[in-house]
Amino acid sequence: MKKDIGHRVLAAAKQRSQKADGSAQMHGPIGQNCEGRAQPLILLGASTGGVTALERVLTDLHPLGPAAVIVQHMPAAYLRNFVEMLNRQLPQDVALAKENTPLEDGQIRFAPSNGLHSEICRMKGKWTCRFSPAREADLHCPSVDRLFASAAVYHSDMIAVILTGLGRDGADGMHQMYLAGATTIGQDEASSVVYGMPRAAWELGAVGQQLPLRNVGPAINLAVAQHHENQGRV
């Protein structure tokens, strides 16, 4: 435990320094990147109650870990404030996603509320976000379903998480990812403010692990470590 605390403090200090000087050189078993091998990508979806849930999960993530892309149902002005607050609080680099900009280790990117969906693609060996127009029938924009579904083709490198929220956005997209072989995690009922989105995904059979909120972050870190091990990185 002492070693882990020391590692986290050191990693956080390094990441704070990287924010200040603009450098992004990653070190250590989770942050390292090997030429020609895909880093995993963490995808999260949340709605009602998601602010508190995301604060907890993101705090638990390894500071130098793989990039995370998040859809949180929230009006644009509130979302910008939330992102700015997280960027001040967390050692990671937190910002709104930009189209066709490479996603790097130690970054957390939120899908902007700009009337477009955020989707995942891979360009020149790098994960990136692309924006796509909303359809008239879409209930949510950005949509967790659209984010998850776009990543199903990259299933072996994906870790998808669905957190507290009203409705069922994300269930169908997560089901596609699960069937393809991605790692999928859902928040349990007892720790959810609204057990709507996680319930829909669970009942659809899309959730590989259903966990209390306190265990979601550690489970993501474990999945990242297993991905690295499978790729021969550790």
Side-chain angles (χ1 to χ4, degrees):
M1 184 178 295
K2 289 180 180 178
K3 288 182 180 179
D4 182 64
I5 292 173
H7 174 75
R8 286 176 177 269
V9 171
L10 178 60
K14 286 181 178 179
Q15 186 68 9
R16 293 281 184 198
S17 176
Q18 289 160 7
K19 277 188 178 182
D21 64 17
S23 64
Q25 183 68 34
M26 296 299 173
H27 302 278
I30 290 188
Q32 68 184 338
N33 196 357
C34 295
E35 189 69 28
R37 291 177 174 174
Q39 276 282 67
L41 189 64
I42 303 165
L43 307 179
L44 301 100
S47 187
T48 310
V51 169
T52 301
L54 285 168
E55 284 184 286
R56 174 60 191 266
V57 172
L58 297 178
T59 298
D60 289 340
L61 293 186
H62 193 292
L64 303 182
V69 179
I70 302 168
V71 170
Q72 164 67 55
H73 296 161
M74 187 182 292
Y78 293 102
L79 181 64
R80 284 194 299 272
N81 291 337
F82 180 46
V83 168
E84 290 170 2
M85 181 194 72
L86 288 176
N87 193 47
R88 291 192 299 268
Q89 292 181 350
L90 297 175
Q92 295 97 322
D93 173 20
V94 188
L96 294 176
K98 294 181 179 179
E99 189 170 28
N100 298 328
T101 299
L103 298 167
E104 305 289 352
D105 293 347
Q107 290 184 341
I108 297 170
R109 294 293 181 261
F110 280 77
S113 295
N114 58 358
L116 298 171
H117 293 291
S118 291
E119 299 178 341
I120 298 302
C121 63
R122 192 162 176 81
M123 297 175 59
K124 298 181 180 179
K126 290 282 191 178
W127 299 120
T128 65
C129 285
R130 66 184 175 204
F131 298 155
S132 62
R135 297 169 298 212
E136 193 171 327
D138 291 341
L139 295 177
H140 302 284
C141 187
S143 162
V144 183
D145 268 325
R146 290 284 288 270
L147 177 71
F148 285 175
S150 70
V153 67
Y154 309 111
H155 54 86
S156 61
D157 297 316
M158 293 294 136
I159 302 165
V161 181
I162 195 159
L163 300 173
T164 174
L166 184 67
R168 65 181 322 279
D169 187 26
D172 294 331
M174 178 172 272
H175 194 224
Q176 291 183 43
M177 297 185 74
Y178 178 82
L179 292 177
T183 298
T184 59
I185 300 169
Q187 187 176 350
D188 71 358
E189 182 173 9
S191 65
S192 295
V193 174
V194 179
Y195 186 57
M197 288 162 54
R199 180 197 294 275
W202 174 257
E203 292 179 347
L204 197 59
V207 177
Q209 300 177 73
Q210 184 169 242
L211 302 170
L213 183 62
R214 66 180 181 276
N215 293 342
V216 172
I220 296 172
N221 291 334
L222 178 59
V224 170
Q226 290 173 339
H227 181 278
H228 289 169
E229 185 174 359
N230 292 339
Q231 296 236 336
R233 299 184 186 182
V234 293

